[in-house]
Each structure stands twice: as C-alpha cells, then as structure tokens.
Amino acid sequence: MLKQFSVMLGVLLLSGCSFLYEDASESAQGEAVIDTTAADEPWMTGEFEAVNQHGEDVTSADLEGEWWLAKTIFTRCPTVCNVMSPNMAELQQEMEEAGVEARIVSFTVDPEFDTPEQLESYGESYGADFDSWDFLTGYEREDIQTYALDSFKAQVQEIPEQNDIMHPIRFFFVNPEGQVVRMYAGEDSFDAEVTVEDMQSVMEEN
C-alpha cells in the first residue's frame, strides 16, 4: 500500500520546466529554495552501492554523519544537464569560498553508458573538484529509478523516442541523519549565493 502511494505521489507531483523533466520539486512553482522538513513525513534517503569516477566504492554508509548535496545527471543528456552541471560547479566554488563543508553526489540515471571513465571526463569538462564531488555509477537503471522515487519523490524514466531520460532537476540537500531538508533550484531559478546562504543557515540550526 505504501509503495503504491509513493508511486502515485511521484506521478501526481510531477511538474517542471518541460514535461520531460517534471518532478516533485517543482510543485512549489519554481521557488529557488524549498523547505522539505514541512512535509508530513521526513524525506529520508535510502541505501545505495555505487562506484565513483575513479572506480572507488561509494555507499550510503560513507555519507552517514555528513551534509551532502545530491543531483541526478547523465553524460549524454541533451537538455537540462547542460545547465544543471555548470550550475552545480558554480555552487561548489561558492561553497568553497564560503567555507561550507558538504559533499556533492551526482547519480547518473544512465549507468549502462556512464562508466567511471565517462563520468570522470564529464566532471572534468565542468571543472568539478573531485575532492568533494562524486559522480556515481555501477548500479542498474532500476536501482536509480527506485532510489530517486523513494528518496527524492521524483521519477526517472527513459524517453526512447527523444533519446532522453526524465529525471529530477533539483539539488537535494541532505543532513547528517540522511534526511532531505531542502530542495534547491538546479536550473532556471538557480542562485548560487542564495543557495549557499540557506545551506549555512540550515547547518547552523542543526
């Protein structure tokens, strides 16, 4: 019953910059910052096992006790990733300048194509600092579909006729307990300074 409700919720809350990239994060009409702690139930991230751009094992256990930002990408994305990834790179730089210590985790939604080598090249193309930014693969497409729906209340779905994959367009801020406490605009309403200021405020309150 709960799983059926989660699926229905993921479908009903879909919206966004285009029908391909609709997700729960856009239910607040494109706000730059959304407080997810106001939800009736905490948004808790699930468990995962993956490898990063260097072929190193990364699991959900490695993130326990840390603040981290999550996003979904794929290297042959023809549209929104071309905006989201440079925005995240800008955000990483802003975080470093402000002294905000939080890891960034990008989950590929195209794990069959996105090898560690492919993800390393992709990250380098955007100037990612791999010391605090992992690009993850090494799981099945079904795994990331389930993880995104359970953790971020958003769908990942292949659109074969358009050579595209629908996926979340928000950045998800996760606290040390594994709860998603904020969603930040990853595309049109993105503002690195506003995002970092909110991150600092949230971290100071905890």
Side-chain angles (χ1 to χ4, degrees):
M1 180 72 173
L2 180 59
K3 186 171 184 62
Q4 290 178 335
F5 175 76
S6 296
V7 173
M8 290 176 64
L9 179 65
V11 173
L12 291 174
L13 292 183
L14 296 179
S15 66
C17 66
S18 72
F19 76 94
L20 284 180
Y21 293 95
E22 297 170 337
D23 63 57
S25 66
E26 293 302 324
S27 61
Q29 300 182 9
E31 293 179 29
V33 179
I34 299 174
D35 180 2
T36 55
T37 62
D40 291 338
E41 297 290 337
W43 286 26
M44 303 302 297
T45 55
E47 297 181 356
F48 67 83
E49 295 182 355
V51 294
N52 68 9
Q53 68 279 354
H54 300 311
E56 301 165 336
D57 292 336
V58 178
T59 72
S60 49
D62 296 321
L63 298 172
E64 292 178 0
E66 292 194 42
W67 291 92
W68 53 289
L69 275 169
K71 67 187 287 286
T72 55
I73 55 100
F74 64 110
T75 63
R76 51 183 175 178
C77 175
T79 50
V80 295
C81 296
N82 298 325
V83 177
M84 292 171 61
S85 291
N87 282 350
M88 183 62 89
E90 179 184 348
L91 181 58
Q92 184 182 44
Q93 183 175 357
E94 187 79 19
M95 289 164 57
E96 291 175 353
E97 292 176 356
V100 173
E101 296 185 4
R103 290 179 66 174
I104 300 173
V105 181
S106 290
F107 296 89
T108 179
V109 297
D110 190 14
E112 293 84 358
F113 180 83
D114 286 340
T115 62
E117 296 78 13
Q118 187 77 15
L119 290 172
E120 182 176 21
S121 177
Y122 181 81
E124 288 176 344
S125 71
Y126 288 108
D129 180 355
F130 292 137
D131 287 341
S132 59
W133 189 346
D134 287 306
F135 292 79
L136 301 187
T137 187
Y139 39 77
E140 300 296 326
R141 176 77 60 82
E142 293 76 12
D143 295 331
I144 189 59
Q145 289 174 328
T146 299
Y147 186 82
L149 185 59
D150 291 347
S151 301
F152 308 133
K153 310 298 182 273
Q155 286 194 331
V156 171
Q157 182 177 330
E158 189 172 5
I159 313 294
E161 62 273 17
Q162 302 202 24
N163 295 317
D164 211 339
I165 302 172
M166 179 180 73
H167 62 92
I169 59 172
R170 287 276 179 175
F171 302 153
F172 301 88
F173 193 35
V174 185
N175 72 13
E177 288 72 47
Q179 179 184 359
V180 178
V181 293
R182 287 290 193 276
M183 292 189 296
Y184 298 120
E187 199 191 20
D188 292 343
S189 302
F190 172 78
D191 187 313
E193 184 176 352
V194 168
T195 300
V196 168
E197 287 177 355
D198 185 76
M199 291 173 67
Q200 290 175 309
S201 175
V202 173
M203 295 170 79
E204 289 171 358
E205 291 174 0
N206 289 265

